[in-house]
Amino acid sequence: MPLLDVDNLTIQIPTEAGLLNAVNGVSFTLERGETLAIVGESGSGKSLTSLALMDLLPSRAVRKARSMRFDGIDLMAVGQRKMEDLRGDRMAMIFQEPMTSLNPAYTVGDQLIEALRRHRPVSRAVARERAVHLLERVGITAAASRLGQYPHQLSGGLRQRVMIAMGLMCEPDLIIADEPTTALDVTIQAQILMLLRDIQREFGMGLILVTHDLGVVARVATKVAVMYAGRLVETGPVEAVFGAPSHPYTQGLLRAIPVPGRTRPGEPLGTIPGQVPNLIGPLAGCAFRNRCEHATDACAAAIPERDLGPGHRMACVLDPVATAA
Amino acid sequence: MTVPVLELENVTKIYPVSQGMFKPRAMLTAVGGVSLSVARGEVHALVGESGSGKSTLAKMLLGLTKPTAGEIRIDGVPIAKTDRREVARRIQPVFQDPYSSLNPRKSVADLIALPLVAHRIGTSESRQKMVAAMLDAVGLPRRMIDAYPGQMSGGQRQRVAIARALVMKPDVLICDEPTSALDVSVQAQILNLLMDLKREFKLTYFFISHNLAVVEHLADRVAVMYLGRIVEERGREALFTHASHPYSRALLDCVLTPDPTLGMPDTVIAGSFPNPIAPPPGCAFHPRCPRATDRCHSVAPGPVPVADGVAACHYAN
Amino acid sequence: MSTTSASGAAATAAAGFDSVPVRRSPLARFTKRAARHPGFMAGAFILAVILVMSIGAPLFTTHDPYAQDISKRLIPPIWHAKGTWEHWLGTDKLGRDYFARLLYGGRISLMIGAATVLLSGAIGTALGVAAGFFGGRVDMVIGYIINVRLALPVVLVALAVAALVGTSLNTVIVVLGLLLWDRFAVVARSTTQQIAHADFVAAARAIGCSTRLIVFSEVLPNIINPLIVVATLEMAHAILLEAALSFLGLGVQPPLPSWGLMISEGKQYMFFSPWVITIPGVALVALVLGINLLGDGLRDVTAPDNRS
Ligand SMILES: Nc1ncnc2c1ncn2[C@@H]1O[C@H](COP(=O)(O)OP(=O)(O)OP(=O)(O)O)[C@@H](O)[C@H]1O
Ligand SMILES: Nc1ncnc2c1ncn2[C@@H]1O[C@H](COP(=O)(O)OP(=O)(O)OP(=O)(O)O)[C@@H](O)[C@H]1O
Ligand code: SF4
Ligand code: SF4
Ligand SMILES: [Mg+2]
Ligand SMILES: [Mg+2]
């Protein structure tokens, strides 16, 4: 039984201009010890998908799914109380903005200790010890002295590491990290990614990593899900997706980044012309077709899911052979 | 030898920062004695950790703040002795965040025409024409001329910002992380555009970035900054193939190319960026440097020549 | 890769793909949001009624607000048994038509409100923008001036000035204008501080814009919305203060028909002819309420968009 099994997740948000189809029929599974990276354009629904797993969507948003199971628990059916027990205990989330997700009114220590004591009957002293241990693990020096500090007294990188330590307090089975390193320096990014990878291996957790950075995906993830306009356009093992990117959007993304050794300095990079479609109201057919060079009339109809190899799937009418060129 | 477009000599910027009500003001050396020269037509990149002083250097080049010490020269003429408007005509910025660098209350036409208005160039009709020509140059459809920033995507906004910077036909563009707020696919468009415009308008770029892959793609020369100082300045090839300074090497190790067979790098430098108010003595990098010796703890290294550039490390060679 | 094939273009003729999403102009957005805000609409309605009626006073009454007729003193309004249609809101102690006085008095209230706000708004905005934009020593000095102003009790100062230099419409406007600028200054200062650090101001500097151009074309347009909200609140404030001063006999002088003065002149008759007080009183409350509703509404309507 997979740790996480999401089948046909849909998120709609009513807005002033109409119903926003933010996430549209997203399905994936995650095993223990696996790292799933979700990549895609800004606004493609990555954050909403991860928030939906934690039942933390904005109150206006409507979440639907054929089924959504975490370790056998039906997440669509559990009540508010049970969800609160799961959150922070067995499922933890590291948010995109560390500035806003720590409470400015409490010290770092109080927040870490509280994170454990909310779910486990342990003494403050035990919780404190664990907090110090984890702060050291995330690479914070003089960890004990940081416990008395308030979030605003920490730099962005430190705050982000505190967030990670907080996520780990209860040894969760699943960690969802939404762009945990976007605001950080490359050297700290590397430190934090290594740390997440080590901890995840050590405890056999499932990790979902939301990111823009294809380099991070390639180096850290075992599986990739490429999102575009609220849909999954390609999923698969990281070697397969990077080795034989098949969906035109995935190909476009990989061609757009400069890769030392592959792209020659100064040469034009591949681009994806055009813009993401407006997701308000229904959108039939392939959402990428206004930017796709292979688009045909068939792309305006329902798009079949194709199997490209073990676990490697895409949503596109093209034959994989035709696009692999 | 031709005179470099931009020359920095021992440029220093010290900010007094208050540390609380009753403590004396501390001195924060944001940029400490930077010397650089940028030749006409080249792309000179500046990389380094957050807080190392890159933006402060850019602000001084743009005349937005004055150096505490040292001299900046354009075509051999010190900026301090040049009229601010003249500097503005020669050097233009492109900022990181296209959401905050455009006045939300102005239409595209007004935004791009602002430099012309400020310098009292042309009539309103001739300005309209210049604006339209700039829209073409940066690849924006002319129908966007009356749009407001709130109606545009990040990439389109950055194009407007570039058009605004180019409308005065400057010599040098200071790009402070021009693509780091943009999506990967949009980043590629903007980088291509910058390269095309460089050829078309014979521009020189001073290009600040965190993204070493991008720097390797565009730069002719690269300066690596750490805690307000340039620790290495090399031609692109030389830096990316055999960097001399341990910090440059650490940075290069952290570049994550999208190659799933590689996994995470084995070594990353430990520790975090030091406090710029109380920098470590000797070589500022020594607390994190894998090669530090006793000498590094007490003696600050000066620049030593290395192949195609200089590096500030006792053991650069 | 940078060309879109013809077939690609054809396949997108469907929907949702407009590369420039059709969005409303700022004005259209404002109107739409305003129309959905009940408070804003109510305030705008009340204010519009008062504005139209007082500015167009001669269209609504044929009486002269100054014409006295001692034989028709204190006629009650129409809802009293003794009321007449001739003077449907009754007359005052000098037999002047109360409806006419109310309409012409509205002009005075609105005039005082608007003129005071123009004067105090100009002073406060100039000081606040200067403090926020230049910071440092300028900010310190202006901060000091603001604190001095806040330490002055408005009503007492106004009374003292009125007692010293005598009273007139112009004195009231100048005195209130010189006293009520503090909120403008505080709001202008804090909003300017935010704007002054935005990249677009740095960009304008780097472009070579003069400070004047930056202040007028980059800063002011971005702080005008909160200032308009302050202006509405201060306008209500000024109107009430004028009424209070006039009530104390130190504001507008008779025979001008100010609402505060009408209340003041009516106070000896209020037990037997209560309408002489309630009618201008209700008008005053309605005006202030309308302005405040409009101001609150403006704040909501012009608030920045949420993520949509
Ligand atoms: N609270 C909300 N109200 C209305 N729309 C929202 C809300 N939150 C998100 N959206 C919209 O839903 C879509 C998906 O948003 P989401 O935050 O999941 O994107 P993302 O893929 O995480 O993007 P990014 O890379 O920028 O973080 C976007 O179009 C966004 O504007
Ligand atoms: N106006 C200022 N007053 C005081 N200190 C400042 C000021 N501006 C910058 N600093 C400090 O100077 C140092 C260098 O800042 P700078 O913004 O130049 O760094 P940077 O290299 O551009 O970083 P980033 O990559 O995060 O943009 C930092 O320690 C910063 O806190
Ligand atoms: S379905 Fe059609 S438009 Fe969509 S990606 Fe495939 S080929 Fe392109
Ligand atoms: S001088 Fe010493 S501490 Fe500094 S970089 Fe070189 S080896 Fe490292
Ligand atoms: Mg997100
Ligand atoms: Mg910077």
Side-chain angles (χ1 to χ4, degrees):
Chain A
M1 178 177 60
L3 177 65
L4 187 68
D5 186 352
V6 177
D7 188 6
N8 220 346
L9 172 68
T10 297
I11 301 170
Q12 296 180 317
I13 305 179
T15 67
E16 240 175 60
L19 192 62
L20 178 80
N21 290 297
V23 174
N24 214 326
V26 163
S27 309
F28 58 86
T29 62
L30 181 73
E31 303 285 345
R32 280 167 208 282
E34 269 186 346
T35 299
L36 169 71
I38 306 183
V39 285
E41 210 99 344
S42 173
S44 57
K46 306 182 296 292
S47 296
L48 287 180
T49 301
S50 29
L51 289 171
L53 300 174
M54 302 284 288
D55 198 12
L56 289 175
L57 287 172
S59 54
R60 284 178 300 159
V62 182
R63 175 182 79 165
K64 288 189 199 121
R66 199 171 295 140
S67 91
M68 207 160 75
R69 291 182 169 277
F70 168 70
D71 204 14
I73 305 164
D74 184 354
L75 292 179
M76 296 303 289
V78 294
Q80 192 69 26
R81 284 294 305 277
K82 180 84 173 100
M83 200 60 223
E84 278 164 19
D85 286 343
L86 284 176
R87 231 183 269 149
D89 181 4
R90 301 196 52 204
M91 313 164 81
M93 180 140 183
I94 300 163
F95 287 93
Q96 196 165 355
E97 293 115 18
M99 317 294 168
T100 54
S101 43
L102 285 169
N103 189 332
Y106 295 95
T107 62
V108 165
D110 282 344
Q111 295 185 56
L112 285 168
I113 291 167
E114 202 32 52
L116 183 59
R117 294 199 354 127
R118 197 177 305 138
H119 300 288
R120 302 285 150 77
V122 297
S123 69
R124 270 190 77 85
V126 172
R128 200 188 132 83
E129 213 169 288
R130 181 162 171 78
V132 173
H133 168 72
L134 281 173
L135 287 183
E136 275 165 3
R137 278 302 308 268
V138 297
I140 294 183
T141 46
S145 72
R146 299 281 186 192
L147 291 182
Q149 289 188 317
Y150 287 88
H152 71 90
Q153 296 172 318
L154 305 178
S155 71
L158 285 178
R159 260 187 234 133
Q160 192 58 281
R161 286 187 251 193
V162 169
M163 282 298 299
I164 294 173
M166 188 136 88
L168 294 171
M169 279 304 278
C170 294
E171 279 184 38
D173 299 304
L174 172 67
I175 288 203
I176 302 169
D178 190 352
E179 318 225 5
T181 58
T182 305
L184 304 177
D185 282 318
V186 279
T187 55
I188 297 171
Q189 160 170 300
Q191 282 174 29
I192 288 190
L193 291 175
M194 279 170 76
L195 170 90
L196 275 176
R197 184 201 57 188
D198 292 348
I199 291 177
Q200 184 229 15
R201 281 200 192 141
E202 198 173 315
F203 299 112
M205 297 180 311
L207 174 63
I208 295 181
L209 190 68
V210 175
T211 179
H212 273 120
D213 188 332
L214 294 170
V216 171
V217 177
R219 303 295 192 95
V220 183
T222 46
K223 277 164 97 167
V224 199
V226 183
M227 279 187 87
Y228 184 81
R231 296 140 213 249
L232 276 189
V233 293
E234 185 163 356
T235 52
V238 70
E239 294 81 10
V241 174
F242 279 77
S246 303
H247 193 279
Y249 176 66
T250 318
Q251 294 175 345
L253 269 188
L254 284 167
R255 270 200 293 252
I257 49 171
V259 180
R262 200 204 65 200
T263 47
R264 250 188 299 133
E267 260 188 5
L269 297 164
T271 59
I272 307 178
Q275 279 180 47
V276 286
N278 178 0
L279 293 182
I280 289 177
L283 181 63
C286 175
F288 188 56
R289 68 183 189 276
N290 63 326
R291 305 172 75 181
C292 179
E293 54 184 346
H294 306 289
T296 62
D297 289 341
C299 306
I303 304 296
E305 278 236 337
R306 285 168 183 275
D307 266 312
L308 306 171
H312 189 180
R313 298 166 71 78
M314 74 159 169
C316 173
V317 296
L318 291 184
D319 292 330
V321 204
T323 64
Chain B
M1 207 183 109
T2 51
V3 184
V5 186
L6 272 181
E7 237 178 328
L8 291 83
E9 195 178 307
N10 241 330
V11 172
T12 299
K13 180 74 192 181
I14 297 175
Y15 288 113
V17 288
S18 74
Q19 308 215 84
M21 265 228 272
F22 303 107
K23 292 192 190 138
R25 285 184 162 207
M27 292 298 153
L28 186 153
T29 307
V31 173
V34 165
S35 300
L36 264 184
S37 77
V38 180
R40 187 173 290 279
E42 84 180 5
V43 179
H44 203 117
L46 182 63
V47 300
E49 216 140 349
S50 177
S52 56
K54 306 183 296 296
S55 298
T56 306
L57 198 59
K59 278 191 202 136
M60 291 191 284
L61 291 175
L62 290 165
L64 296 177
T65 84
K66 287 206 176 67
T68 316
E71 191 170 81
I72 300 173
R73 290 187 287 269
I74 310 179
D75 280 329
V77 184
I79 277 194
K81 296 203 183 104
T82 317
D83 178 38
R84 197 166 71 91
R85 281 158 171 269
E86 178 58 18
V87 176
R89 217 190 47 71
R90 311 280 299 277
I91 305 187
Q92 279 292 303
V94 177
F95 290 100
Q96 169 178 8
D97 182 0
Y99 291 85
S100 74
S101 65
L102 300 181
N103 187 341
R105 301 260 158 186
K106 288 193 161 177
S107 68
V108 167
D110 289 344
L111 286 163
I112 299 177
L114 183 65
L116 303 173
V117 174
H119 292 258
R120 304 210 178 83
I121 295 173
T123 60
S124 67
E125 285 101 68
S126 69
R127 282 176 197 159
Q128 279 292 319
K129 274 200 202 114
M130 286 192 248
V131 168
M134 282 328 295
L135 286 180
D136 296 346
V138 299
L140 280 174
R142 286 200 181 181
R143 68 189 149 79
M144 293 204 106
I145 197 156
D146 292 320
Y148 284 82
Q151 302 170 324
M152 286 184 281
S153 70
Q156 289 172 333
R157 286 166 185 237
Q158 201 59 304
R159 284 171 196 265
V160 173
I162 293 172
R164 175 179 63 184
L166 289 182
V167 74
M168 297 284 300
K169 306 268 184 300
D171 300 326
V172 183
L173 228 51
I174 312 278
C175 307
D176 193 348
E177 313 201 22
T179 60
S180 61
L182 304 175
D183 268 321
V184 170
S185 62
V186 183
Q187 163 178 296
Q189 294 173 16
I190 298 291
L191 292 179
N192 288 349
L193 173 67
L194 285 173
M195 295 310 281
D196 289 346
L197 293 172
K198 176 177 178 284
R199 247 166 270 133
E200 190 178 335
F201 294 96
K202 305 198 171 35
L203 295 164
T204 305
Y205 289 154
F206 191 72
F207 192 94
I208 298 176
S209 180
H210 269 128
N211 188 331
L212 285 147
V214 167
V215 166
E216 184 166 359
H217 187 73
L218 323 162
D220 298 310
R221 296 194 69 80
V222 186
V224 182
M225 215 168 168
Y226 189 77
L227 209 63
R229 285 165 202 282
I230 305 272
V231 294
E232 185 160 4
E233 201 272 324
R234 307 283 292 270
R236 177 198 44 224
E237 280 275 343
L239 183 83
F240 283 95
T241 50
H242 30 265
S244 298
H245 196 282
Y247 177 66
S248 315
R249 249 179 263 158
L251 269 187
L252 292 176
D253 284 343
C254 296
V255 179
L256 303 178
T257 49
D259 183 346
T261 58
L262 287 180
M264 287 299 291
D266 305 323
T267 51
V268 293
I269 49 169
S272 55
F273 200 65
N275 180 356
I277 292 175
C283 173
F285 187 56
H286 85 251
R288 304 171 75 187
C289 182
R291 288 173 53 187
T293 62
D294 285 348
R295 183 159 171 238
C296 306
H297 289 230
S298 50
V299 186
V304 284
V306 289
D308 197 13
V310 288
C313 169
H314 294 310
Y315 308 100
N317 288 308
Chain C
M1 214 15 230
S2 56
T3 51
T4 309
S5 67
S7 63
T12 65
F17 288 114
D18 280 323
S19 61
V20 187
V22 193
R23 272 183 236 183
R24 285 166 270 136
S25 73
L27 182 68
R29 203 185 107 237
F30 174 86
T31 359
K32 185 160 180 207
R33 280 171 77 165
R36 287 187 189 173
H37 195 290
F40 179 91
M41 290 313 282
F45 177 74
I46 296 176
L47 216 58
V49 168
I50 296 179
L51 258 173
V52 168
M53 296 206 51
S54 35
I55 291 171
L59 303 175
F60 296 93
T61 178
T62 51
H63 290 283
D64 177 351
Y66 301 105
Q68 304 181 4
D69 186 350
I70 305 295
S71 64
K72 293 185 174 167
R73 297 177 64 209
L74 294 172
I75 297 179
I78 190 70
W79 53 87
H80 276 256
K82 282 193 261 166
T84 66
W85 276 113
E86 163 90 50
H87 299 287
W88 73 277
L89 281 186
T91 58
D92 69 0
K93 61 177 181 181
L94 297 175
R96 295 174 292 197
D97 180 67
Y98 227 47
F99 183 56
R101 285 190 71 75
L102 195 71
L103 293 190
Y104 286 91
R107 288 182 174 183
I108 306 262
S109 290
L110 288 170
M111 226 267 269
I112 288 190
T116 306
V117 159
L118 276 181
L119 182 58
S120 60
I123 299 173
T125 307
L127 287 174
V129 168
F133 192 77
F134 297 108
R137 218 157 279 163
V138 179
D139 189 25
M140 258 167 57
V141 171
I142 293 175
Y144 179 75
I145 300 177
I146 293 177
N147 283 333
V148 169
R149 153 60 202 94
L150 288 173
L152 294 175
V154 174
V155 177
L156 289 186
V157 172
L159 287 175
V161 173
L164 278 175
V165 302
T167 54
S168 73
L169 184 60
N170 290 343
T171 325
V172 173
I173 291 174
V174 171
V175 169
L176 291 183
L178 288 176
L179 282 170
L180 295 183
W181 51 263
D182 51 300
R183 254 195 253 177
F184 287 101
V186 170
V187 171
R189 177 175 171 268
S190 63
T191 45
T192 304
Q193 272 174 346
Q194 290 168 19
I195 301 289
H197 289 116
D199 283 347
F200 64 81
V201 171
R205 279 226 182 90
I207 280 165
C209 292
S210 62
T211 305
R212 218 191 71 199
L213 188 58
I214 294 179
V215 167
F216 281 97
S217 98
E218 308 293 311
V219 176
L220 277 181
N222 283 291
I223 64 170
I224 201 76
N225 282 347
L227 288 179
I228 289 177
V229 175
V230 173
T232 59
L233 300 177
E234 288 303 314
M235 185 164 167
H237 194 182
I239 289 170
L240 285 176
L241 277 173
E242 179 274 324
L245 288 175
S246 298
F247 182 82
L248 296 172
L250 291 165
V252 176
Q253 291 303 299
L256 276 182
S258 137
W259 292 352
L261 197 60
M262 286 166 76
I263 298 176
S264 168
E265 289 175 340
K267 60 183 182 268
Q268 346 162 208
Y269 306 95
M270 79 182 180
F271 291 110
F272 303 107
S273 314
W275 73 88
V276 290
I277 286 198
T278 45
I279 289 174
V282 166
L284 198 59
V285 170
L287 176 58
V288 170
L289 182 73
I291 294 175
N292 280 337
L293 282 174
L294 190 78
D296 275 357
L298 268 180
R299 181 170 42 216
D300 297 345
V301 170
T302 58
D305 256 327
N306 295 329
R307 233 180 130 177
S308 62

